[in-house]
Amino acid sequence: MITTTQVQKKGNQFPNEIVDFKQERDRLYFTTKNGVILELTVLRDSVIRFRYATEYVFEPDFSYAISDDVSLGFNSLEVEDGKLEYLITTSKLRIYINKGNLKVKITDLEGTIINEDETGFHWEENFDYGGNIVKMSKVTQSAESYYGMGDKASHTNLKGKRANNWVTDQYAFGKDQEPLYKAIPFYVGLHNDLAYGIFFDNSFSTYFDFAHERRNVTSFWADGGEMNYYFFFGPKMSQVVEAYTNLTGVPELPPLWALGFHQSKWSYFPEKKVKQIANTFRKLKIPCDAIYLDIDYMDGFRCFTWDNRRFPDPKRMVKELEEIGFKTITMIDPGIKIDRDYWVYQEAMENDYFCKRADGPHFKGKVWPGECKFPDFTNPAVREWWADLYKEMIADVGVHGVWNDMNEPAIMDVPSKTANLDVRHDYDGHRCSHRKAHNVYGMQMVRATFEGLKKYTFPKRPFVLTRAAYSGTQRYCATWTGDNVATWEHLWIANVQAQRMCMSGYSFIGSDIGGFAEQPNGELFARWIQLGIFHPFCRVHSSGDHGDQEPWSFGKEITDIVRKFIELRYELLPYIYTMFYKYVNDGLPMLKSLVFYDQEDSQTHFRTDEFIFGDQILVCPVQEPNAQGRRMYIPRGKWYNYWTDEVVEGGDEKWVAAGIDKIPIFVKEGAIVPKYPVQQYVGEKELTELKLDVYYKDGTENSMVYEDQHEGYDYKKGRFSLRKFRLRGKPKELIVQQFKDGSYITPYNKLRLQFHGLPFTIKKIELDNEKVDLKSVKLNGNNNIEISKDFTELHLFGA
Ligand code: MIG
């Protein structure tokens, strides 16, 4: 008799010599004597897909991660049949496939090794479930660093770490704890100033070892499925992240209000309390665009219902909140209460939409409503049904956005915290168990939510937020980092997680500002707000089982500081919106870790705290109590201290003053930073001017501002306004050129330029080569001018 242990002892198996090669246009197939096939696909000159089959058979080719809009096409592809290896050459890469063992080596055209197999592909048969545990090991190059991997709460540089991707409700997680809420099996490697990326597109539990077990080996493996990975070559990190983001997709532009400040708590109820919170924002003049209803708005936690005692007339309430500038966001969970009198339950039962166990009974799990069943969101018919459930809430009640929580799915009172592994899923017709569907379950739920909101919010833009995610989920929604804690360490974690998510193609990210579990003191709350306004998604949320966590909950001094920073967020909205535009159009992360910003400077490779907000603003949170400032690394180049306009030369660590009412912020010299006036909410005021903070540079720098209606889809028909600025400074001159694109006419007709660091007194101004009267541009002091005509060239002359 063969026992489990004996079979598993069969251990690792390895490909042997290549006995067959064939090419079908962009696809190359290498078959070994022992039945391994490597399918190599050239997607772009620097994007290559590697897939391995054992016993000659590939799985059906299907992935939830890949975007429909992926760019394909390459300039050249040549294959040479050498003595010891096949050599594949594109216009960017050389790929060597060893004829004896199928090992892969990739170099650039100069011959520098970018990435090479150590053992390469190998596998172990899985006796319990069938199929293989698929494995890959790579050589760690000298001084190689690793970045990316989604929401990991560890040092930005993953060298020496291990990671596991298995989406998990990890309440009050800690630093380095694994696994967390997201599964984004993508990393960026950097060595010899060459960056590359690997995306292991496998939805089973995946594992990565970045030179942890063995110093010179980096490996990744999965509990099942195929060894199926994409390789992206830079050499710049921006090119790698752009290529990964292009492959897995980007979201649409959000409505501008979604980039404002959001206030949440578990839970605001009844209606009176919600109104009171909203009114307090207005009374205290603290800008805010959205208020959240957590699970307690529902009738006994039944999704798509309202507790009529707490919220007797939700439609009226949503409208009244809207009148004072608040959008209402409601929570929807995946678990559907087992209740024969509940229409959602009935519909799902009638249509056979709930997940089943291996032998046929429904999967049941306990969550907030008690025993629940769970729709199989990997079934397209279920997604369509789910999307339509939003009709009443969105089209009729008028709710503006939805957050999907617990979509890992999270299950209470079971050690695994989630569904049983034998639960069956449709997986869009590729039926499988929860082992394979688990990591995409939440993604498919929020995808259905997005479809529903898009349909019923139209012609406006939807806003959706998710907790669980797999690669590609960024196409549908924003996300938050889950149940963090009100500690200084978690402020550090939030910063790292946001940067890491941005590096992993998922820029619309934020943390629960102030911490979800436990109570922050005023100082921690203020410091967290100072960081949070620089995160793409900016929301205060807390568990509510302790004291209040509103901007005014910590006394007047803190309230004033918090207001000042939320106001700064609102001033920066056109800058943030432009960041989003670049993310959507170029796949560029909204936050850039310093290594991303300047990979050639090896001092950036192990920095964690500092990051670039957009392209031109350097931010570094204060992460300790009682600080009057901190040491931080300023990247190379010249930077203006935002608070003092003092110019500092980067390339060094410096001590930067930042008492409780400041966070270190620096603006890159030459930058033109667009600002709107402070509003209490987006659209409160008709915009009458765009302020441009112009930071003088002896040299050239480009900046841009993207605007549109901030709502709706007219921008897709060309109704946007893109202003590209080129600043050229000389010791006694400054020229700002403006190039405009798009047919949207901005509502303001005034540009107010505020010059910083001008080394001369303005003696003469020319607009489009015509001299203007200094008084007519209202020279206010020396450095502030107003222009009410759209110019292509502004020329300042100094004395
Ligand atoms: O079991 O809905 O992460 O943001 O407030 C807790 C209640 C369920 C977890 C979410 C949190 C939310 C809470 N939820």
Side-chain angles (χ1 to χ4, degrees):
M1 203 181 82
I2 298 174
T3 68
T4 311
T5 14
Q6 275 169 341
V7 171
Q8 285 183 335
K9 274 211 186 105
K10 203 169 162 194
N12 285 326
Q13 300 181 62
F14 308 86
N16 56 13
E17 67 269 23
I18 297 175
V19 291
D20 184 49
F21 165 72
K22 102 181 169 240
Q23 176 170 7
E24 289 170 8
R25 277 185 297 164
D26 55 345
R27 286 183 191 200
L28 314 177
Y29 294 90
F30 305 89
T31 306
T32 68
K33 200 171 169 190
N34 61 348
V36 176
I37 307 175
L38 161 61
E39 178 197 80
L40 185 156
T41 312
V42 178
L43 284 85
R44 289 158 75 173
D45 289 297
S46 52
V47 181
I48 314 288
R49 180 182 181 194
F50 295 88
R51 249 179 116 194
Y52 295 83
T54 58
E55 292 169 9
Y56 304 99
V57 188
F58 284 100
E59 291 185 358
D61 191 10
F62 176 79
S63 165
Y64 285 117
I66 309 300
S67 155
D68 293 336
D69 303 322
V70 53
S71 320
L72 298 170
F74 47 86
N75 295 310
S76 67
L77 167 59
E78 276 166 38
V79 185
E80 266 170 62
D81 186 348
K83 196 155 162 260
L84 299 173
E85 54 213 356
Y86 287 93
L87 168 60
I88 300 135
T89 310
T90 73
S91 73
K92 297 273 171 62
L93 295 173
R94 283 196 203 132
I95 304 158
Y96 300 85
I97 315 283
N98 187 308
K99 286 187 165 176
N101 53 23
L102 204 63
K103 284 191 200 179
V104 173
K105 182 172 89 182
I106 307 175
T107 75
D108 64 11
L109 297 184
E110 275 83 61
T112 309
I113 293 175
I114 306 162
N115 186 261
E116 64 185 311
D117 285 355
E118 187 250 350
T119 303
F121 172 61
H122 52 296
W123 73 98
E124 202 180 323
E125 277 186 24
N126 186 329
F127 180 76
D128 292 324
Y129 297 98
N132 301 321
I133 295 161
V134 290
K135 310 178 186 186
M136 173 61 64
S137 64
K138 302 278 189 184
V139 174
T140 298
Q141 304 296 330
S142 101
E144 184 159 7
S145 292
Y146 302 91
Y147 308 92
M149 280 272 124
D151 62 345
K152 307 299 176 204
S154 23
H155 194 290
T156 330
N157 189 337
L158 292 165
K159 183 160 203 173
K161 308 262 180 204
R162 271 197 162 189
N164 173 217
N165 299 307
W166 179 254
V167 299
T168 304
D169 175 6
Q170 206 65 271
Y171 172 79
F173 57 94
K175 189 176 173 193
D176 286 322
Q177 189 170 345
E178 286 270 69
L180 298 181
Y181 298 86
K182 328 267 190 272
I184 304 191
F186 164 71
Y187 72 87
V188 181
L190 173 68
H191 59 84
N192 298 300
D193 196 26
L194 299 175
Y196 69 90
I198 285 184
F199 169 41
F200 181 21
D201 186 10
N202 180 310
S203 64
F204 285 81
S205 189
T206 53
Y207 306 84
F208 288 76
D209 182 305
F210 299 103
H212 168 89
E213 193 173 307
R214 286 186 287 161
R215 275 186 55 196
N216 56 342
V217 180
T218 290
S219 55
F220 49 92
W221 64 99
D223 281 352
E226 271 180 2
M227 176 48 60
N228 168 30
Y229 75 89
Y230 294 81
F231 175 84
F232 314 90
F233 177 50
K236 292 273 159 261
M237 263 193 192
S238 54
Q239 295 166 305
V240 174
V241 174
E242 178 275 328
Y244 166 77
T245 310
N246 178 268
L247 183 73
T248 55
V250 286
E252 295 180 344
L253 281 170
L256 188 63
W257 64 260
L259 299 177
F261 176 73
H262 298 202
Q263 178 69 36
S264 181
K265 179 182 183 161
W266 179 17
S267 293
Y268 290 133
F269 68 83
E271 173 179 338
K272 206 170 129 223
K273 178 75 188 178
V274 178
K275 290 254 187 71
Q276 184 213 317
I277 296 290
N279 286 324
T280 308
F281 272 97
R282 297 298 175 247
K283 195 176 94 209
L284 297 178
K285 294 223 169 309
I286 299 170
C288 186
D289 260 282
I291 190 152
Y292 284 61
L293 301 182
D294 205 318
I295 41 177
D296 302 285
Y297 78 90
M298 301 177 204
D299 172 17
F301 306 112
R302 287 172 191 80
C303 292
F304 306 103
T305 68
W306 292 82
D307 179 325
N308 293 324
R309 279 175 308 131
R310 290 169 178 169
F311 297 96
D313 188 352
K315 185 171 179 169
R316 178 186 45 72
M317 179 189 74
V318 169
K319 191 167 148 275
E320 287 169 5
L321 286 168
E322 201 177 286
E323 280 160 9
I324 57 167
F326 276 88
K327 309 285 192 261
T328 305
I329 319 279
T330 52
M331 173 175 279
I332 289 289
D333 285 350
I336 298 300
K337 186 179 175 71
I338 300 180
D339 171 358
R340 287 180 53 189
D341 300 322
Y342 167 35
W343 58 283
V344 179
Y345 179 75
Q346 288 164 356
E347 283 185 24
M349 285 299 285
E350 277 157 28
N351 293 297
D352 198 13
Y353 286 162
F354 287 128
C355 292
K356 290 183 181 143
R357 301 290 301 266
D359 297 327
H362 281 126
F363 161 60
K364 293 196 290 181
K366 193 183 148 217
V367 234
W368 292 106
E371 285 293 305
C372 285
K373 294 185 184 174
F374 293 78
D376 182 9
F377 297 106
T378 69
N379 176 344
V382 174
R383 289 198 298 271
E384 224 173 283
W385 165 71
W386 188 258
D388 271 330
L389 292 176
Y390 287 103
K391 185 171 180 201
E392 187 187 314
M393 179 185 278
I394 305 297
D396 183 24
V397 177
V399 164
H400 302 85
V402 167
W403 49 323
N404 284 164
D405 185 24
M406 305 288 275
N407 52 345
E408 292 73 26
I411 308 293
M412 293 170 175
D413 302 340
V414 291
S416 75
K417 301 183 180 187
T418 193
N420 307 73
L421 296 182
D422 68 275
V423 167
R424 304 283 298 159
H425 294 272
D426 183 69
Y427 215 92
D428 281 63
H430 309 90
R431 295 193 58 79
C432 66
S433 79
H434 199 65
R435 294 172 67 237
K436 180 171 173 178
H438 174 80
N439 279 341
V440 301
Y441 183 82
M443 174 198 198
Q444 295 312 304
M445 173 188 183
V446 79
R447 173 185 178 184
T449 299
F450 167 75
E451 297 297 342
L453 262 82
K454 185 157 180 176
K455 187 164 162 189
Y456 295 112
T457 309
F458 192 83
K460 296 195 168 165
R461 305 177 193 168
F463 174 73
V464 176
L465 182 64
T466 186
R467 195 171 70 173
Y470 180 68
S471 293
T473 311
Q474 71 269 14
R475 301 196 292 271
Y476 313 119
C477 51
T479 187
W480 88 102
T481 57
D483 295 343
N484 59 5
V485 189
T487 62
W488 289 94
E489 183 172 76
H490 261 275
L491 182 57
W492 180 92
I493 293 176
N495 181 15
V496 166
Q497 284 185 303
Q499 289 181 48
R500 190 190 298 293
M501 285 292 283
C502 285
M503 184 83 99
S504 311
Y506 209 141
S507 276
F508 205 177
I509 172 81
S511 68
D512 284 352
I513 295 175
F516 177 74
E518 298 177 23
Q519 171 82 334
N521 61 21
E523 185 187 9
L524 176 59
F525 185 75
R527 290 302 194 189
W528 209 317
I529 283 277
Q530 290 169 356
L531 171 66
I533 64 148
F534 292 108
H535 284 168
F537 175 57
C538 178
R539 181 184 74 151
V540 168
H541 180 55
S542 67
S543 69
D545 55 12
H546 49 67
D548 294 335
Q549 204 160 306
E550 285 91 36
W552 51 86
S553 306
F554 306 93
K556 175 147 187 341
E557 190 201 355
I558 299 297
T559 308
D560 290 343
I561 293 168
V562 169
R563 179 190 301 104
K564 166 174 141 183
F565 282 92
I566 297 179
E567 285 179 351
L568 176 58
R569 168 100 182 175
Y570 277 74
E571 288 188 273
L572 286 170
L573 279 175
Y575 181 85
I576 299 172
Y577 197 57
T578 304
M579 280 160 64
F580 214 111
Y581 167 82
K582 288 188 191 169
Y583 168 48
V584 169
N585 279 270
D586 307 330
L588 283 174
M590 291 175 70
L591 310 181
K592 298 168 180 74
S593 301
L594 286 200
V595 63
F596 183 103
Y597 182 74
D598 189 359
Q599 71 186 48
E600 285 166 35
D601 175 5
S602 61
Q603 295 201 68
T604 64
H605 295 191
F606 282 89
R607 301 303 309 186
T608 51
D609 297 356
E610 309 84 354
F611 62 92
I612 310 289
F613 175 65
D615 294 331
Q616 294 166 321
I617 298 180
L618 167 69
V619 178
C620 185
V622 174
Q623 297 167 157
E624 273 173 8
N626 304 316
Q628 288 308 313
R630 61 163 293 159
R631 285 192 73 77
M632 65 178 279
Y633 186 73
I634 316 268
R636 298 186 296 182
K638 282 188 182 156
W639 299 82
Y640 284 79
N641 183 317
Y642 179 81
W643 306 108
T644 62
D645 273 356
E646 182 201 345
V647 178
V648 299
E649 180 76 47
D652 227 339
E653 263 204 33
K654 293 203 166 46
W655 194 86
V656 177
I660 182 70
D661 62 341
K662 302 252 182 343
I663 172 175
I665 308 172
F666 292 85
V667 182
K668 192 179 178 193
E669 65 163 353
I672 297 183
V673 177
K675 284 179 171 171
Y676 285 159
V678 172
Q679 306 176 75
Q680 295 309 301
Y681 54 92
V682 166
E684 184 205 19
K685 293 182 183 155
E686 174 86 348
L687 296 171
T688 55
E689 63 173 34
L690 180 69
K691 185 178 175 204
L692 297 173
D693 274 321
V694 182
Y695 291 86
Y696 172 84
K697 174 184 185 178
D698 186 357
T700 309
E701 173 76 10
N702 296 324
S703 305
M704 64 157 91
V705 194
Y706 173 85
E707 294 168 284
D708 59 22
Q709 280 183 335
H710 300 145
E711 242 319 345
Y713 291 92
D714 274 3
Y715 73 95
K716 294 202 168 176
K717 298 179 208 137
R719 279 194 268 291
F720 61 85
S721 153
L722 184 61
R723 299 171 191 272
K724 290 190 182 165
F725 296 110
R726 160 161 294 212
L727 175 145
R728 276 189 294 145
K730 296 180 191 162
K732 295 224 151 144
E733 261 179 87
L734 183 71
I735 299 175
V736 177
Q737 287 173 301
Q738 181 181 211
F739 310 92
K740 284 193 67 181
D741 193 7
S743 64
Y744 177 65
I745 315 277
T746 48
Y748 54 85
N749 51 23
K750 232 189 308 173
L751 293 178
R752 187 148 63 88
L753 288 84
Q754 172 85 48
F755 296 98
H756 299 258
L758 266 194
F760 54 79
T761 316
I762 303 170
K763 276 281 131 59
K764 187 172 95 172
I765 299 180
E766 280 180 12
L767 265 184
D768 297 336
N769 296 318
E770 275 179 40
K771 190 172 172 218
V772 281
D773 174 15
L774 289 189
K775 274 194 218 106
S776 75
V777 293
K778 292 192 188 141
L779 207 54
N780 227 332
N782 185 32
N783 295 325
N784 191 330
I785 63 173
E786 269 179 17
I787 298 173
S788 46
K789 163 174 175 290
D790 247 332
F791 63 89
T792 40
E793 187 173 290
L794 166 71
H795 202 144
L796 308 187
F797 299 86

